[in-house]
């Protein structure tokens, strides 16, 4: 299997390589390798099943079994021009075909697609792979062959002597003092540990335990798999324990733990740069509040496994909340001697609303019942880049019985309005995705933005009686798995063509041909002025992507992007 993946991937690279000889600004975009774009990681039994035919003419298409029999035939939909990709394409819908197996799509005058599968747990398997990638991102811990296979590596960054940068000093933790903050996950292709993303990823994993029993039973094949608690909780504990270690007695939680500058292209264990606690910010501390409040709620059921931890999380959360009240608008800016990731956030109302919501759900304390605040901030902001209010909405969806009838009505309207708007937009392209509504849709990490749109659809199903936006959400999932203008499954080691050259130091430095598995590339983007590789294959936003190491603006990976996709595929897999 691996070999064929490799050759297919090489052919994609050649095609992209060919494209990149054509200068941006040209009117005609080179078609990608294949004219039939489909979900390369499979379709779910009982779910939507759509493929996209480039330059498809009206006519029939066939679903052919591996034995060569015609399992299903249908008609290709009307060709649509999607401006974001400057492509004419049409949809082939075979949702009606519901038998598990391996198939090809055959389109007269276009050709046959690669093999794809229809299977019971397609979404669950994707979610599992995305979750498992967090094991590979663990800091201060060696990855053994038993769990990491060919990606086994030494323990990087013990973080036992982390220096407090002046920007992070408090009365309890003076500038220049050192302490140990081991563990946690590397953020992305760099070796920084950032509080906001770590807290969000921890929260996302714990969210699965509230979502349904399936996720408690999920086996991840990680070192802790043999213990009594769910594997998802084991992985969440990597983030949670690290987060708790960061807080000092004033309640403050520093913005990040990184070196002063990004590391050289070395494996984690080869990076010897001094590490610092850097900066304070209200945004990342509020995310800490949200994650620890939610953790407290969920850990109550695991008191015997983690005695006292639920209480500890709640005290940490309320202490951090108090700190935020005293520092309500502290925006992080890199100090002049620091150039690692900034994760800046100029608007904090959404983080406030989310933190308050989690504290209210956990404690029932009226002071945290700030739903008007959440309702205000949600309006017009989904799925705005950098927004946190949808996270509150996801938690609320699982606790909707705590809303009054009037509040439920308000949410209903809001959900419906957004979802209908996205659905309307999705009608304009054969991929049936809501991207391209506004410039920000193809921002840094567009794939994560897109996953959030899918989640918004699914959340609407919960809040709006009789609503069914499942097909729309599934289209978003299909897009991430290969039904997109780039004909690429954006998650490494899934599908037949996935990024090989992600901007991820271990994947680049480990000497292993294939990248670390289960990581989602950021995806095409058009907003941030592309500043890395010299030439991009296209000026069109949906095609402005390069599977090259140099392309950190489109081909980096990040744990918080993965978390967006984890949530989408988990909700789809429920
Ligand atoms: O996702 C972040 C993007 O919005 C910023 O414009 C970019 C530059 O600051 O940084 C991105 O986040 C990176 C973070 O700062 C450091 N780790 C890797 C993240 C993904 O690229």
């Amino acid at each position: 299997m691996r070999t064929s993946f490799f050759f297919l991937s090489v052919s994609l690279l050649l095609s992209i390589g060919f494209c990149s000889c054509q200068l941006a600004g040209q009117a005609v975009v080179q078609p990608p390798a294949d004219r039939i774009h489909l979900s390369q990681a499979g379709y779910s039994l009982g779910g939507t099943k759509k493929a996209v035919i480039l330059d498809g003419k009206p006519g029939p298409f066939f679903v052919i079994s591996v034995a060569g029999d015609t399992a299903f035939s249908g008609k290709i939909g009307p060709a649509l021009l999607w401006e974001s990709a400057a492509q004419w394409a049409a949809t082939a819908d075979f949702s009606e075909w519901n038998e598990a197996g391996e198939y090809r799509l055959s389109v007269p005058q276009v050709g046959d697609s690669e093999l794809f599968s229809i299977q019971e747990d397609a979404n669950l398997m994707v979610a599992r792979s995305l979750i498992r990638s967090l094991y590979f991102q663990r800091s201060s811990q060696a990855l053994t062959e038993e769990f990491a296979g060919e990606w086994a590596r030494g323990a990087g960054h013990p973080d036992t002597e982390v220096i407090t940068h002046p920007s992070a000093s408090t009365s309890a933790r003076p500038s220049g003092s050192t302490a140990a903050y081991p563990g946690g996950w590397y953020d992305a292709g760099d070796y920084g540990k950032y509080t906001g993303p770590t807290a969000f990823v921890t929260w996302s994993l714990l969210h699965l335990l509230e979502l349904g029993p399936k996720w408690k039973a999920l086996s991840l094949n990680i070192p802790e798999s043999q213990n009594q608690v769910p594997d998802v909780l084991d992985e969440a504990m990597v983030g949670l324990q690290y987060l708790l270690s960061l807080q000092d007695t004033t309640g403050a939680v520093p913005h990040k733990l990184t070196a002063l500058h990004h590391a050289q292209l070395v494996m984690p264990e080869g990076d010897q740069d001094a590490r610092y606690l850097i900066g304070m910010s209200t945004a990342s501390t509020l995310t800490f509040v949200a994650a620890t409040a939610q953790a407290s709620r969920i850990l109550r059921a695991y008191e015997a496994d983690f005695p006292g931890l639920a209480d500890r999380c709640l005290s940490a959360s309320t202490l951090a909340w108090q700190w935020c009240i005293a520092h309500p608008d502290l925006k992080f800016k890199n100090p002049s001697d620091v150039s690692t990731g900034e994760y800046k956030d100029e608007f904090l109302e959404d983080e406030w609303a989310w933190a308050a919501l989690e504290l209210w759900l956990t404690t029932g304390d009226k002071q945290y019942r700030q739903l008007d605040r959440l309702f205000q901030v949600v309006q017009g902001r989904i799925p705005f880049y950098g927004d946190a209010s949808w996270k509150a909405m996801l938690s609320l969806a699982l606790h909707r019985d705590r809303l009054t009838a009037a509040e439920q009505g308000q949410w209903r309207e809001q959900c419906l309005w957004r979802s209908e708007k996205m659905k309307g937009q999705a009608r304009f392209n054969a991929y049936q995705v809501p991207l391209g509504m506004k410039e920000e849709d193809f921002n840094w990490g567009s794939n994560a933005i897109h996953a959030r749109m899918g989640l918004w659809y699914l959340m609407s199903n919960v809040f709006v009686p009789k609503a069914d936006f499942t097909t729309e959400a599934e289209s978003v999932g299909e897009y991430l798995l290969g039904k997109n203008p780039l004909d690429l499954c954006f998650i490494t080691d899934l599908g037949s063509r996935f990024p090989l050259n992600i901007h991820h130091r271990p994947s680049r430095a480990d000497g292993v041909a294939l990248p670390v598995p289960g990581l989602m590339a950021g995806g095409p983007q058009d907003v941030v002025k592309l500043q890395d590789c010299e030439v991009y294959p296209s000026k069109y936003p949906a095609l402005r992507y390069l599977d090259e190491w140099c392309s950190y603006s489109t081909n980096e990976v990040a744990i918080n992007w993965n978390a967006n996709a984890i949530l989408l595929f988990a909700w789809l897999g429920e």
Side-chain angles (χ1 to χ4, degrees), residues 11-12 14-20 22 26-37 53-55 85-88 431 484-487 537-538 543:
S11 72
L12 175 81
L14 289 176
S15 122
I16 286 183
F18 174 71
C19 287
S20 61
Q22 320 284 310
Q26 63 175 17
V28 181
V29 177
Q30 284 295 326
D34 200 320
R35 283 174 59 195
I36 304 177
H37 300 175
I53 321 294
L54 277 202
D55 305 319
Q87 271 181 359
W88 283 94
Y431 298 94
N484 57 59
L486 290 156
D487 197 27
S538 171
L543 292 169

Side-chain angles (χ1 to χ4, degrees), residues 19 39 82 110 225 268 432 437:
C19 287
S39 171
W82 190 21
V110 171
S225 286
Q432 299 182 354
M437 280 190 283

Side-chain angles (χ1 to χ4, degrees), residues 253-277:
V253 185
H255 188 79
K256 61 180 175 180
L257 189 168
T258 70
L260 296 179
H261 308 290
H262 283 312
Q264 298 299 306
L265 181 46
V266 290
M267 290 299 281
E269 58 272 35
D271 177 22
Q272 305 302 328
D273 289 346
R275 309 255 287 175
Y276 295 79
L277 284 186

Side-chain angles (χ1 to χ4, degrees), residues 47-167:
T48 303
K49 299 169 205 76
K50 290 180 183 171
V52 165
I53 321 294
L54 277 202
D55 305 319
K57 306 275 177 297
F61 73 89
F62 304 94
V63 177
I64 312 285
S65 73
V66 260
D69 303 325
T70 300
F72 178 82
S73 64
K75 274 200 181 136
I76 299 172
L80 298 169
L81 172 67
W82 190 21
E83 281 171 16
S84 296
Q87 271 181 359
W88 283 94
T91 311
D93 185 346
F94 50 104
S95 308
E96 277 175 47
W97 181 249
N98 256 323
E99 261 181 44
E102 301 251 301
Y103 303 93
R104 283 180 204 284
L105 216 68
S106 180
V107 183
Q109 279 148 43
V110 171
D112 290 353
S113 76
E114 64 213 315
L115 270 182
F116 64 87
S117 70
I118 298 178
Q119 63 191 89
E120 179 74 46
D121 277 333
N123 288 319
L124 182 127
M125 294 319 288
V126 174
R128 180 183 185 273
S129 168
L130 289 159
I131 298 169
R132 222 180 158 265
S133 75
L134 291 166
Y135 168 66
F136 294 94
Q137 292 295 100
R138 288 189 192 182
S139 174
S140 325
Q141 196 180 114
L143 309 186
T144 64
E145 223 182 299
E146 185 182 358
F147 306 107
E150 54 191 319
W151 297 281
R153 60 162 169 81
H157 307 92
D159 285 338
T160 44
E161 281 182 65
V162 178
I163 307 159
T164 304
H165 188 271
S167 59

Side-chain angles (χ1 to χ4, degrees), residues 187-188 190 194 341-343 385 444 556 561:
D187 188 56
D190 63 326
Y194 300 79
E342 202 159 45
Y343 278 117
Y385 170 76
W444 200 303
E556 192 167 357
W561 296 339

Side-chain angles (χ1 to χ4, degrees), residues 186-192 194 197 256 258 262 334 339-344 385 443-445 503 522 525 528 531 552-561:
Y186 297 127
D187 188 56
D190 63 326
Y191 293 137
Y194 300 79
K256 61 180 175 180
T258 70
H262 283 312
N334 259 342
S339 65
T340 50
E342 202 159 45
Y343 278 117
K344 66 175 179 204
Y385 170 76
N443 207 322
W444 200 303
H503 190 87
Q525 69 127 322
V528 181
Q531 68 224 37
Y552 53 84
S553 60
T554 74
N555 208 30
E556 192 167 357
V557 297
I559 56 171
N560 73 96
W561 296 339

